[in-house]
Structures are given as C-alpha cells and as structure tokens.
Amino acid sequence: MQIPCFILAMLIVTFCVRTDAADDVLRSAFKQHCFRCHGAEKTQGKVNFVKAFAAKSEGLTSDLDLIEKIIEVLEDKEMPPEDEKQPMESEREGWVSQLKKTLNKHLAKRSALNRVPIRRMNRFEYNNAVKDLFKLSRDPFALPERTVRDIGGYFKPATGKMPSTVVVGNRAMGKSQFIGKGNTLQGVAAFPKDNRAEHGFDNRGDHLSLSPMLMESFFALSQSIVNSPEFSRYSKTWETTFVAPDGMSKEQLRAEGKNRLKAFLRRAFRKDVSDKTISLYFKRFLQQFDKGISFTDSMKAAVSAAMVSPRFLYIYSSSGQGEISQTDHNFQLASRLSFFLWNSIPDDTLLDLASQGKLNDPKELGKQVDRMINDQRLKNFCDSFALQWLQLDLMIATVPDNKRFREYYFGGPNNMVYMIGMHMMIEPLLVFETVLIENQSITQLIDPDFTYHSEMLKRWYKHDRRKGRAEVTSIRFKRVPIKDRRWGGVITNAAVLTMTSSPLRTKPITRGAWLLSSIFNDPPEPPPANVPEIETDDEKIEKEGLTLRDKLKQHVTHQECATCHKKIDPLGFALENYDAVGRWREKYRTGLSIDSSGKLFNKHEFKDVIGFKKAILIEKDRFARAFASHLLSYALGRKLNVSDRPSLDRIVTNTAKDDYKFRTMLREVILSESFINKATTKMENH
Amino acid sequence: MKKLSRRSFLYGAGGAAMALPWLNLTHLSGAGSTVASSPVRMAFYYIPIGIVRSAFFPNQDETEYKLTPTLKPLEAMKHKTTLITGLDRIVQSGTDVHAQCGSCFLTSAAPNEVKNSAYPLSRTLDHVIADHVGKQTPFRSLELSCNSHKDNKESVYFDNISWYGTGHVAPSFRNPRKVYRRLFGTQGIKDYRDITDIVLEDARSFSRELGVEDRQKFAEYFDSVRSIEKQIDKIEQKKELIAKVEMIEPDDVPLPRREYIRLMGHLMIVALQNNLTHVATMMVGPERWNTPTMYEGVFDKPKSHHQLSHAQSKNQVRHDLEAIDHFHIEQFAYMIQKMDSIKEGERSLLDNTVFTLGSGLGDGQTHQYNKLPIVIAGSGGGSFKTGRLIKCNDGTPLANLWLSYTHLMGINRKRFADSTGLLKELGVEKRD
C-alpha cells in the first residue's frame, strides 16, 4: 500500500515543524516505526523521510485528507506492516487520538467546504429533466441504464410498502425492452452515455464537460423533442404552453406568448428569471411569430432555444463573487435536492418555497425530503444510484464459460440466447428499493430477512436443473423471507458473485476489491505492473492439489503485495463458498475443502460467510459511514474530502439513533453542512 | 448520395473479408485535391495497452531492416512508412497508468507541469494543430474510438486521446452511423444559427453570475457554440464537398471487429480525402477495459487484451497478444493502402498525410512508458524521407516528434510539452 507510506512522510514533515510535547511523542514514534522503510534504508512508496526532514517544508498540515487516511491505516493495523515491530495497543490509540485532535483542530479552522462545481447534466438527468419539464408520460429517448423496468406498476413509495409480487423487465439484458412504440419519443436520438468516474458516479463535475459534438446533440435534441410527431400526444404541457387560446388577437397572442414563456423558463432554469432573460427568448418567439409563423411553432422555436441555454443544461451553485443571496441559495438547494433524489429538475412546490426563501429552513427542508421520497420520481434515484453504487452494470458484459456453466444460458433455438444474469441483476436492486420504500434499516442491505426471487432464480440457488418458466420479457419476482443467513442482500446475491468472477472460476481478489469499494468505500489501489497472472481455470489449479487460496498465497509473497492483499483477500475469501455463478458449494469441484474464514479489519475473526456478515454488522457504523459517503458524493457530484468529515460524523450518529433507517439517512445527508453548503467562491485544490 | 441495397452489408460468419459496399473506396471520386493545393493532413491511430516488443521492433540497423512478424502486414507499404524506436514519455504518479498513457499520449506534458490536475494533460497535439489548420475545413477535427463495450466500466480517461485541455475531453465517436451523420448531415444545423446569438448572449450574462473557477470551466460552452457557428458558416462549402462523396449511411448493426475498425477507418479517410477535416484521431480500442472482446477470425472466444498483457510471460498468452498486435497493424495497413489508392495529383492521399500509429505504453505488462512503438505512414507531402527505421537514443521525448509535427504543419514553436528539440533524425523541412 503506497498511500499510507506517503502519508507517514507527510505527517513526519508536519510534526517536525510543530513543537508541542504531544507532537514530539508522535514524531519519535514515527521515527522508530516508519523511518527504516521510508528514507533510511528504503524508500517504500517513493517516500523519503530523510529528504522530507531536510526540506523542513511547512504547510503540509493543510493536506488533511492525508492525516485522515493515516488514522484509518493505524486503526485498521495496516501500518506498520504485520512483520514489523508493532506498537503497544495503548500507544497506537494514543497516536490515533493525537492525530484526530490535530485533524479536528485544523478542520475547525477551515472556513469553507469544497464547492459543488458547475457541470452539465448527464444523459440520465437530461432525459428526466426534459420529461418533467414537459410532463411527458414517457422518456424522450431509450435509457438502458434504467435497468429495472416496472411493468406491473409496483413502485409506489408513498405507500411505504413494496408489493409481495412485482413484475419487471431488465432493460439492459432482457428481451424486447425497447421494441415498438410506447417507450420513447419518435425521432429523438440520445447522446452517448456518460462514463462513471473511477470509484465514483456518472455525475461528477470534474468528469462532465461539453464539446462541440455534444452541443450539436443538444441543439438537435432541443428541436427533435418538441417537433416529435408524438410530442403533443404525450406532453401534458402541450395545451398550456403550445396551443394558442381561441379568439385572441395578434397583440393578445404576443402577450400570451410572453407570459407562457415566463412560466416555462422558470421551470426550465429552476429559478425566478429576470426580465432581461425572458426578453431574450421572447425575441426568438417574436422573430417567428411576426413572420407569420403560427403561435405553436413560434413557441416551439423559443422553447427550443431555451433548451440549449446554459441555464437549462448546467447545474451550478456559485453565484458571483463572495456571499450569495438567500434567494439564490434557496434555488440552488432546490436543484441540488431534485437532482439528488429525482435526477431531475425541481417541481413547482420546491421552486415556490425557494422563491419565498423557505427551503433552507431545516424543518421545511425535512418536510420536503419526506415528500420527495414519497414521489414516483424517486425511481430515478434508485435506477441511477443503486446500480452505480453496486457496479451492477458489470453484469451486462459478464460471460461465464458456456460449457462449464451451460445452465447459465437459455432460450432461443440453441438455448444460448439469454443469460440468467438478467434475473440476477434485478434481485439486489429490488432489495435496495424495498429497504428505501419501507424505510428499513440499511443493515438490511447486508443481512436482510427477505429477498425477491424469480422462479428461475429460486431454482438456481437450489441447484435445480429444471429452469422453470423462462421469463425474458416480463419477469415475476416474489418476496420471500430469508431464514438462511447465507443468502440475500447486496453482497450475497448471484449478480454480485457472478460479476466478480471470471468465466472459469471465482476471483476472490476482485470480490474483495468490490467489497472494499462498494461496501466500505475504501477502494484499493490498482495492482502494480508485472504481476504474474494466476491460472484462469480453477480445475487446472486444483489438479495441482491446490485450492485457489493456496495458489493466491503463493502468489502474494512480496511484502509490498502482502500489505494490500492482507486487506483485500480475506474479504473475497469470505465469499468463496459461492461459485463463479453465485451458487452455494460446500467443497470445490474436485472435493478439496473450502476455507472461507478470515478476519475483518484485523479485528473480527469469522469462520464463514454468516460470521462475516455478523462481523460487518459489528462494524455497522463503518458500513453506515461508507454508505453515507457514497450518497453524499453522489448528491454533490464531487469527490469527498476531509472537510466533509464533520458532516459524515453527524449523518452517521443521527442515523444510528434512528435504528439506521434508510430514509433517515437520506434526510441527514440532505440536512448536512456539506449538502446545504451555501456556496462561496472559495475552492480548495483537488 | 447514392443509395445502395442495404442487404449486402449484413455480415456473415467468421469475419472474413466481405463485400461491404461502404468499404469499397475505389468507387469514390471524392473532391480530390490538385497538386498545387494538396493540404497536409494529420492523423493518429492509437493502439491501447502497448505491444509485445520482441515481435514488433526489428534488430537490424537503419538502412536494411526486415519487418518483424507483427509489422508484416505493412510489407506492401513499407517504402511509405517510417518506423521509430526509442521514444519516451514520463509518467506522473497519482493516476492509473492506463488512463494516463492514453489520455496523455498526445499531450506529453511534463510531470506536474499542469496544475490542478492529477493528469499531465493539456491541449493535445491534434487540437493544437487543429487550431492552426482547422479553420480551412468544416470540422476542426474528428475523434474516433473503436470501443464496442457495452458496460460502462471505465472513466472518460480510458477512452479518449483527444482533449481540448485539462479535464476537458474532445469526446470520441464510437458509432459509425453517428460519425456518418455528423460528417454528412446538413439538415437542421442551419436553423441553429438563429439561436446561437440568443444563447451566447444569455451565456454571457450567465457567466457573470459564476465564480472564478466555474467561469473557467464554463468556457467550454462558448467554445462549443462558436465552433458550431463556424461549422454553419462552412455549410455551403461542405455541401459542395459531400455532394461528390458516394457513401451510404451505415446501418446501426454491430459488426465484427475487423469490419467495425475498417468502417471507422473508412469514415476517417473519406473525411480527410474530402477536406471535411484535416486532423483526425482514432483509438483502435480503449485502454484497460478488462471486458473480453471478440476478435472474429483471430480467436474463437472473446479475449481481454488487457488481461492477456499481464500474463505474457506465458508463451501461449504472448502468442495471443502478438496476434492482437498483428490484427491491429493489419487494419492500419488496410487503411494506408486505401489512402494510397486515392490519387491527389502525382501524389496520393497517404503521401499528403502524416498518419501515425502509436501506443502510450511500450510494454503492457510492466506499464513502461518508454521505447514506445511508433510507425508513421505517409510523408506529409514529402516533408521527410520514408522507408526507414529511425533509432533514437533511448529517452528521447516523444514530444520531440510532436514538435516536429507542429513545424511540419507550419506552426512555429520552440517547444511542445516536454520536448527538448526537434526530432532531427526525422529531418522535417518546413513546408511552405
């Protein structure tokens, strides 16, 4: 692990320029425990303490992220490495508490949180914004990323209850999910899907940019949407925005056009619009209307122009120099809220409250959050956040070997056309939606007392070779209680277990890395270069009389590798009883026995996956914090850093007080300082 | 544009050479340039994840060298290519090596030179050149990526070698049909002209409401809209040009890899040939992206280029990797042959182009940024001698080659990124 070493170096520098006694203790401790590998004899992780000391550079305490990271590696006993001399428990605790003090002192001194940077809408948001702006009863264009297709109308958050049977399709992997009309607007073409940031989401401000090509798409969309032959039929704003009222004179129609535009622009630009801005787009209306073009087409022209305005395409926070006005902050909050929970523009209620300056009142804000969670548009949050958090789109390109795992494939003339992955992918998403809608504890995501199974999936888990009804277009999922704790939740489901395997065997390291990233929000560094590949077929490994664990152990001989793998591998091996397509196995195929025991965070020993889940639950604050971090990062469209620490502390504490309920956590995320952040123009370096 | 029967496009099994009308360039009359006005075009063909060096670089000296097994497909065009060895880039720690080797290949900025970015990434060479020559053509530049992956696995840094600047990607097209529509579509775009004035005015007042950092980022909006305005201004010119192009719109059907790459190549060639643009980049695949890909006609099962690269100590795996390298060279060879068959006066389109094949990694297994594989096809209108092997001293900055290119394109600058001087061995003479 390179980063912690680096941090140690930074800290030494930090402490060497400070003088109080506690720091001296730390300094000498680090000298004793860290110097040898970092400067004296080696420069592990490209860090040279000696040099750092000689430089005596100041100001490194400003990199508080590094201090935060070192607290983590000390707490988890990742450093010093296992085969090095270990400090006494009390010493270690002393260092950690000293570091925390330093950290908090500096955090308190810091005035500004990181800004939420300006960014354009991503594809998913653009689609939803257009849909809500025109109150369309369908998506403008096809979105395979909206994986769970709600066929039976199951998603009703206001009821606070998920039905026991739901009928869904899988838009990414199922059959006929887009064919025919009834899903999108004719003649409207999507722009390319936005990539996810590494260990992040697809709404990150530093990743979303605009190009001439994309701008051309926005121009084309702005016209093709309102001019789609189906637009008038599916837009509930058609009459009120585009159709001329009967019996009006030209002059009256002009005034009418202006009024309508004013109302439209407020919704499109998500704030009260200045007269100057209105007149700009009204000019476009007049250009057409005064040429003798119809009221409807003139409105379309003005509306199209507004749809390529930056005020529509961009989500932004800061406003001018210095302090922003109360009203501006309110409107910013309205957008931040709606893009977080709905992936879309705010509705009139939010805009009205913002306009009255009431939205930043915590009470009102909490009320709005409850209302928004009960709204149908919450589905957008589930579609976008859950899939990316769990990286479930990896399922699409996962291809278990079609001989070894022949039964993974089914349908079509050769029984090879579809993959049962299309069922698997749905299960954890339904569990996620249920925990949210029913406001259950987020620990249910790890170790739930229910899950949803299709007939095929139920048989799959039971190793039943008869597939049952081969549903490929609409799939019926039934809620089933979980009595056997090996199953259910976002970890031990066939989708995650399959997508973290290779075609011919499980990949414990990949599984471990997935757990670290998704469940603990602590993604490992990518492997260094020149790591020899391990045999990709477990059959061949087992022919040597070795289990995969033996083989990996041989593999991880270098100390440099061991530091990371000690953290990654036990997590992955905890899941080793699940084969490469997510089914339980007691032994390897050759009869070798499976060892899924390990230790979580160097603290909690476990014998099997049930013990592993129990260990995670002992560390549930840690999971809660990781989950809150994912949510907050997603909500803000930026990477988190140490300045968000106080917010996260509060979110976790308050959520824990309310039995870790999901909706409570969402509310706490929104009420946090990081989220409410009244943007100033100050920006920290990333 | 002449409409042909679409039935004949549908591909058959095996991915062997097929009669795809859109790949038949011999029918193209195009708006071929005359000798007097032949512009120099600049194109790049990026290979991800490095190559197997032992099968790529020849051992012979500069005068008489034999093509290695990987480079064999270039045989017929050897006299029009230049193989360069010994070029380097320096890695900046802190980002994924694959993300950086691709996204920074054409920028080659020195480590830590670019502030506020984890990547040593500033405006890339193709855009620096497009700044200079892009005004002459309807499109400043064209960016293509033969990335057919459906999973949204990697960030934007893995799939783009062209950048307007730090953090500001010039996104690449993956879909041939969309490329076609961009190049040849003229409908609608003219209507935008009435709107650009309005939104630019709105954007100016909007920009004043932003903080300093956001305002910098927001410059992308002005750049994009103005670029569209310029395109609209050139629309008449474009209409004339494309009236002469016989190419039909590709279907939206997934193609076998070979045909997919060739189709994208063909679109690029048509764009260069008809002066729709003079600058183009093409990634033959994205960096890293572990998801296995089907290489029809090479392997019978999908393979992950990246995973293979890390197991090449095994003979069989290395053979597989060499087969992928060979496959990529084969498509490059196909493209340059096509380009050479397009006459421009006494020269060919290829002669008037500098078409550079390269990778940001010398070796995919060890992630080395040195000893990069570089092959130049064409001579930029006789700007340098071809048919040679140029052995540079190890450690010669890749940016020296890029600096030579800027001179070749008529840009007078002393330095490009971390260059230490012109690549003298290439012997670029400035063109008038």
Side-chain angles (χ1 to χ4, degrees):
Chain A
M1 172 74 85
Q2 293 185 356
I3 286 184
C5 310
F6 181 55
I7 299 152
L8 284 173
M10 293 304 166
L11 279 166
I12 294 300
V13 174
T14 301
F15 294 117
C16 78
V17 297
R18 297 172 52 84
T19 49
D20 47 281
D23 284 344
D24 284 342
V25 173
L26 259 183
R27 187 177 154 195
S28 69
F30 280 14
K31 197 168 177 179
Q32 185 192 343
H33 287 282
C34 323
F35 265 35
R36 193 167 53 77
C37 299
H38 299 291
E41 290 172 25
K42 282 182 268 182
T43 46
Q44 295 276 48
K46 294 179 190 162
V47 167
N48 189 331
F49 280 147
V50 180
K51 222 168 147 188
F53 269 109
K56 286 213 174 187
S57 47
E58 269 182 276
L60 284 163
T61 31
S62 65
D63 202 346
L64 302 181
D65 290 300
L66 296 172
I67 302 188
E68 187 180 40
K69 191 77 195 172
I70 198 172
I71 292 173
E72 283 169 27
V73 299
L74 282 174
E75 280 185 331
D76 289 350
K77 300 181 187 166
E78 285 173 37
M79 283 284 158
E82 200 181 24
D83 49 2
E84 296 291 330
K85 186 171 172 274
Q86 296 296 308
M88 311 230 298
E89 233 8 64
S90 56
E91 277 183 289
R92 190 186 284 274
E93 280 164 21
W95 302 347
V96 168
S97 94
Q98 176 61 19
L99 285 167
K100 281 186 175 166
K101 248 186 241 159
T102 310
L103 185 59
N104 289 335
K105 202 155 83 191
H106 283 276
L107 278 176
K109 261 195 254 167
R110 280 235 287 223
S111 52
L113 282 158
N114 270 15
R115 293 167 46 259
V116 180
I118 186 171
R119 65 175 177 92
R120 67 162 169 83
M121 291 186 211
N122 67 22
R123 176 167 97 164
F124 194 67
E125 292 163 335
Y126 180 88
N127 173 84
N128 297 331
V130 168
K131 190 178 174 191
D132 293 339
L133 183 58
F134 297 111
K135 298 193 166 67
L136 289 164
S137 53
R138 53 175 59 191
D139 284 323
F141 46 71
L143 287 167
E145 55 262 49
R146 214 192 265 296
T147 306
V148 185
R149 180 173 164 210
D150 182 356
I151 296 173
Y154 74 86
F155 192 90
K156 295 196 181 83
T159 62
K161 188 75 194 144
M162 276 280 273
S164 54
T165 303
V166 303
V167 183
V168 300
N170 184 329
R171 281 206 176 82
M173 294 178 77
K175 184 193 175 195
S176 313
Q177 299 300 305
F178 292 107
I179 292 176
K181 289 163 191 154
N183 288 306
T184 58
L185 287 182
Q186 203 184 315
V188 176
F191 60 93
K193 186 164 152 186
D194 298 293
N195 299 57
R196 276 205 315 249
E198 247 180 300
H199 311 305
F201 298 92
D202 64 1
N203 65 358
R204 272 262 296 274
D206 54 346
H207 279 61
L208 290 168
S209 57
L210 186 66
S211 66
M213 174 182 128
L214 197 53
M215 195 63 219
E216 235 184 277
S217 287
F218 285 135
F219 272 108
L221 280 161
S222 74
Q223 308 203 339
S224 63
I225 289 167
V226 293
N227 291 313
S228 166
E230 297 174 327
F231 180 76
S232 58
R233 198 173 349 143
Y234 296 111
S235 166
K236 288 202 190 74
T237 64
W238 176 250
E239 289 287 330
T240 51
T241 307
F242 297 95
V243 179
D246 288 334
M248 274 195 182
S249 70
K250 273 227 150 185
E251 202 42 55
Q252 286 170 317
L253 282 175
R254 278 194 196 97
E256 179 70 14
K258 188 165 186 174
N259 280 337
R260 289 188 180 189
L261 216 45
K262 188 176 171 182
F264 172 81
L265 292 176
R266 182 178 191 255
R267 280 184 291 125
F269 298 166
R270 288 98 67 185
K271 63 187 284 191
D272 292 336
V273 185
S274 73
D275 289 341
K276 201 184 143 213
T277 308
I278 296 167
S279 67
L280 214 52
Y281 293 92
F282 183 52
K283 202 167 78 188
R284 176 70 182 147
F285 171 87
L286 288 181
Q287 268 173 12
Q288 306 295 100
F289 191 67
D290 290 349
K291 259 194 269 175
I293 289 169
S294 72
F295 179 88
T296 299
D297 286 343
S298 304
M299 273 310 278
K300 278 185 178 176
V303 161
S304 291
M307 285 170 74
V308 286
S309 163
R311 296 179 196 274
F312 177 65
L313 296 175
Y314 280 84
I315 303 167
Y316 66 105
S317 296
S318 59
S319 182
Q321 305 291 322
E323 276 295 282
I324 62 163
S325 75
Q326 195 71 355
T327 324
D328 276 341
H329 182 227
N330 264 274
F331 281 118
Q332 285 172 16
L333 267 182
S335 280
R336 213 175 288 160
L337 266 176
S338 68
F339 280 98
F340 175 35
L341 292 178
W342 293 344
N343 288 82
S344 186
I345 53 174
D347 62 2
D348 289 340
T349 311
L350 287 172
L351 290 177
D352 291 346
L353 285 167
S355 187
Q356 297 154 16
K358 288 182 184 160
L359 199 54
N360 63 344
D361 168 43
K363 232 185 190 160
E364 184 59 54
L365 193 53
K367 228 169 88 187
Q368 289 308 311
V369 172
D370 289 340
R371 179 181 73 87
M372 292 177 77
I373 293 176
N374 281 330
D375 189 280
Q376 284 301 116
R377 279 166 281 194
L378 184 71
K379 188 77 170 80
N380 296 335
F381 168 76
C382 295
D383 288 335
S384 172
F385 175 80
L387 188 90
Q388 295 187 69
W389 168 49
L390 298 171
Q391 305 169 40
L392 279 169
D393 55 345
L394 295 180
M395 266 318 264
I396 301 165
T398 300
V399 278
D401 185 75
N402 62 23
K403 291 191 187 72
R404 174 94 39 102
F405 301 109
R406 180 67 186 83
E407 60 277 21
Y408 188 79
Y409 300 86
F410 67 97
N414 51 0
N415 259 324
M416 282 295 289
V417 175
Y418 304 109
M419 295 184 272
I420 191 165
M422 80 163 83
H423 288 231
M424 295 175 174
M425 203 173 165
I426 304 282
E427 182 190 351
L429 293 170
L430 288 177
V431 171
F432 179 94
E433 290 178 352
T434 307
V435 175
L436 173 55
I437 288 179
E438 300 186 354
N439 197 17
Q440 301 193 24
S441 160
I442 55 166
T443 56
Q444 284 274 47
L445 296 168
I446 304 294
D447 189 23
D449 55 19
F450 73 92
T451 191
Y452 279 86
H453 282 165
S454 68
E455 186 64 25
M456 280 183 102
L457 214 45
K458 190 173 97 193
R459 290 173 191 245
W460 182 261
Y461 285 122
K462 286 183 182 162
H463 293 266
D464 186 341
R465 287 238 159 206
R466 296 163 305 152
K467 284 214 168 65
R469 210 173 23 203
E471 297 163 303
V472 291
T473 310
S474 74
I475 312 170
R476 187 175 301 271
F477 275 81
K478 283 202 174 120
R479 185 165 179 153
V480 289
I482 291 218
K483 291 180 192 117
D484 180 346
R485 288 178 74 182
R486 292 175 301 169
W487 295 108
V490 297
I491 303 171
T492 50
N493 62 78
V496 165
L497 295 161
T498 303
M499 78 192 193
T500 52
S501 299
S502 59
L504 286 165
R505 66 163 169 83
T506 62
K507 284 164 78 183
I509 299 175
T510 303
R511 286 177 173 180
W514 179 88
L515 283 161
L516 281 173
S517 309
S518 292
I519 304 302
F520 299 113
N521 191 34
D522 185 14
E525 295 287 300
N530 217 0
V531 178
E533 178 81 349
I534 297 159
E535 177 53 57
T536 53
D537 184 350
D538 56 8
E539 198 167 270
K540 290 184 186 156
I541 298 173
E542 287 171 41
K543 269 190 191 145
E544 301 169 39
L546 296 174
T547 64
L548 188 53
R549 190 189 276 255
D550 300 330
K551 191 81 188 173
L552 284 177
K553 225 181 235 164
Q554 291 181 353
H555 184 71
V556 184
T557 45
H558 287 285
Q559 193 221 303
E560 262 174 289
C561 305
T563 311
C564 271
H565 281 282
K566 218 176 148 279
K567 188 171 171 185
I568 303 169
D569 299 2
L571 305 183
F573 276 112
L575 306 176
E576 189 60 357
N577 277 111
Y578 305 92
D579 69 10
V581 286
R583 296 171 304 195
W584 185 264
R585 55 185 180 181
E586 288 294 338
K587 288 183 179 318
Y588 287 108
R589 285 147 28 94
T590 53
L592 292 171
S593 50
I594 292 169
D595 176 7
S596 62
S597 66
K599 211 172 178 186
L600 181 66
F601 304 134
N602 283 325
K603 269 185 219 155
H604 311 288
E605 301 224 20
F606 55 85
K607 282 210 305 275
D608 53 21
V609 70
I610 296 177
F612 176 62
K613 286 187 186 177
K614 284 181 185 161
I616 299 178
L617 292 187
I618 296 173
E619 291 281 347
K620 61 184 164 194
D621 277 352
R622 187 145 171 170
F623 164 65
R625 194 184 182 89
F627 190 57
S629 304
H630 282 299
L631 286 169
L632 188 60
S633 169
Y634 174 81
L636 299 176
R638 67 163 169 83
K639 243 179 172 166
L640 300 189
N641 63 25
V642 71
S643 69
D644 299 303
R645 200 180 155 90
S647 289
L648 288 168
D649 288 342
R650 213 159 306 137
I651 295 167
V652 175
T653 312
N654 291 347
T655 309
K657 273 188 217 151
D658 194 23
D659 297 326
Y660 298 90
K661 286 194 179 123
F662 197 161
R663 290 186 183 207
T664 306
M665 178 169 274
L666 277 179
R667 197 182 308 123
E668 290 298 328
V669 165
I670 287 162
L671 293 172
S672 73
E673 203 191 334
S674 292
F675 188 89
I676 292 181
N677 183 20
K678 199 166 159 181
T680 64
T681 53
K682 187 175 183 316
M683 185 163 78
E684 305 289 334
N685 287 335
H686 289 276
Chain B
M1 272 159 272
K2 206 164 116 189
K3 289 263 172 192
L4 295 177
S5 153
R6 296 195 175 208
R7 202 179 309 159
S8 49
F9 302 171
L10 294 172
Y11 58 89
M18 276 170 281
L20 297 175
W22 61 49
L23 297 182
N24 191 352
L25 274 165
T26 50
H27 288 306
L28 293 179
S29 53
S33 312
T34 61
V35 191
S37 66
S38 289
V40 175
R41 281 76 140 203
M42 184 69 61
F44 297 88
Y45 182 90
Y46 184 84
I47 296 179
I49 314 169
I51 39 89
V52 180
R53 285 185 182 131
S54 56
F56 188 95
F57 292 119
N59 287 320
Q60 294 89 349
D61 65 14
E62 306 185 10
T63 41
E64 291 291 323
Y65 78 99
K66 284 208 184 70
L67 290 169
T68 50
T70 299
L71 293 178
K72 211 77 194 162
L74 296 175
E75 193 66 67
M77 300 302 296
K78 189 185 166 198
H79 62 294
K80 293 201 173 183
T81 63
T82 309
L83 174 60
I84 305 184
T85 68
L87 295 182
D88 267 26
R89 253 201 65 229
I90 301 171
V91 66
Q92 169 177 335
S93 58
T95 67
D96 181 86
V97 277
H98 284 282
Q100 186 183 141
C101 77
S103 62
C104 303
F105 179 68
L106 287 177
T107 174
S108 295
N112 307 313
E113 188 182 82
V114 181
K115 299 295 170 212
N116 294 324
S117 168
Y119 292 89
L121 202 170
S122 52
R123 200 167 181 83
T124 49
L125 176 66
D126 52 326
H127 283 280
V128 170
I129 290 171
D131 289 339
H132 190 68
V133 301
K135 292 185 193 84
Q136 308 157 16
T137 55
F139 299 99
R140 287 181 74 253
S141 61
L142 179 67
E143 293 83 15
L144 307 172
S145 169
C146 300
N147 176 354
S148 54
H149 292 302
K150 289 195 182 69
D151 52 349
N152 196 15
K153 191 169 182 151
E154 303 284 18
S155 83
V156 73
Y157 288 89
F158 292 83
D159 195 21
N160 291 282
I161 54 169
S162 290
W163 295 75
Y164 296 112
T166 312
H168 190 187
V169 67
S172 47
F173 284 92
R174 297 176 179 190
N175 180 331
R177 169 177 273 194
K178 291 206 168 131
V179 183
Y180 180 93
R181 289 188 176 167
R182 170 145 173 100
L183 289 175
F184 305 123
T186 51
Q187 218 153 24
I189 184 163
K190 214 172 164 184
D191 307 341
Y192 305 158
R193 185 78 231 208
D194 299 333
I195 306 166
T196 53
D197 285 343
I198 298 174
V199 292
L200 280 177
E201 192 178 335
D202 195 13
R204 274 188 292 271
S205 77
F206 175 76
S207 177
R208 280 191 290 273
E209 296 169 25
L210 299 176
V212 181
E213 304 86 359
D214 282 348
R215 213 178 285 178
Q216 281 164 6
K217 164 107 180 164
F218 185 63
E220 66 183 22
Y221 184 88
F222 292 106
D223 291 346
S224 300
V225 175
R226 285 187 189 128
S227 158
I228 290 174
E229 284 189 330
K230 282 179 199 147
Q231 267 173 49
I232 297 169
D233 293 343
K234 288 183 194 132
I235 202 114
E236 286 311 313
Q237 176 197 354
K238 189 177 144 189
K239 268 186 184 156
E240 253 173 63
L241 291 173
I242 61 181
K244 296 174 189 161
V245 176
E246 280 184 42
M247 185 172 183
I248 39 150
E249 183 170 307
D251 281 352
D252 212 358
V253 193
L255 289 169
R257 193 134 191 91
R258 176 179 277 111
E259 279 63 40
Y260 173 43
I261 295 169
R262 290 183 176 192
L263 173 56
M264 292 292 262
H266 186 196
L267 286 159
M268 187 192 96
I269 294 169
V270 170
L272 294 175
Q273 176 196 10
N274 294 286
N275 299 311
L276 291 168
T277 186
H278 288 159
V279 184
T281 61
M282 175 167 168
M283 287 184 92
V284 76
E287 275 294 343
R288 201 167 66 180
W289 222 296
N290 262 334
T291 316
T293 306
M294 192 65 201
Y295 294 85
E296 287 88 350
V298 184
F299 311 114
D300 55 3
K301 269 188 183 168
K303 298 255 182 191
S304 162
H305 187 183
H306 176 243
Q307 275 173 358
L308 290 176
S309 77
H310 285 288
Q312 53 180 296
S313 44
K314 283 189 202 133
N315 282 336
Q316 181 50 47
V317 174
R318 201 174 53 251
H319 289 319
D320 285 353
L321 259 187
E322 287 167 13
I324 291 179
D325 293 347
H326 184 273
F327 173 79
H328 288 151
I329 300 292
E330 194 182 73
Q331 310 325 316
F332 181 69
Y334 170 85
M335 286 172 70
I336 64 177
Q337 267 166 303
K338 287 292 170 197
M339 288 167 79
D340 201 43
S341 71
I342 296 168
K343 295 295 160 218
E344 295 191 335
E346 283 176 11
R347 289 204 173 103
S348 69
L349 172 63
L350 180 67
D351 294 331
N352 288 326
T353 304
V354 181
F355 190 16
T356 308
L357 171 149
S359 179
L361 288 177
D363 179 284
Q365 182 171 26
T366 54
H367 298 152
Q368 288 172 0
Y369 278 38
N370 65 355
K371 295 183 186 161
L372 300 173
I374 301 286
V375 177
I376 311 171
S379 63
S383 299
F384 51 86
K385 247 178 31 201
T386 57
R388 286 185 298 160
L389 165 66
I390 297 178
K391 283 189 164 177
C392 298
N393 292 331
D394 280 354
T396 307
L398 176 65
N400 287 7
L401 178 62
W402 298 163
L403 183 69
S404 293
Y405 283 179
T406 60
H407 281 235
L408 194 154
M409 298 306 282
I411 305 168
N412 281 319
R413 43 194 294 169
K414 289 213 169 71
R415 211 175 141 235
F416 181 84
D418 64 354
S419 68
T420 54
L422 291 167
L423 195 76
K424 293 223 169 56
E425 297 88 337
L426 188 64
V428 167
E429 287 154 35
K430 232 197 283 171
R431 256 175 128 251
D432 304 315

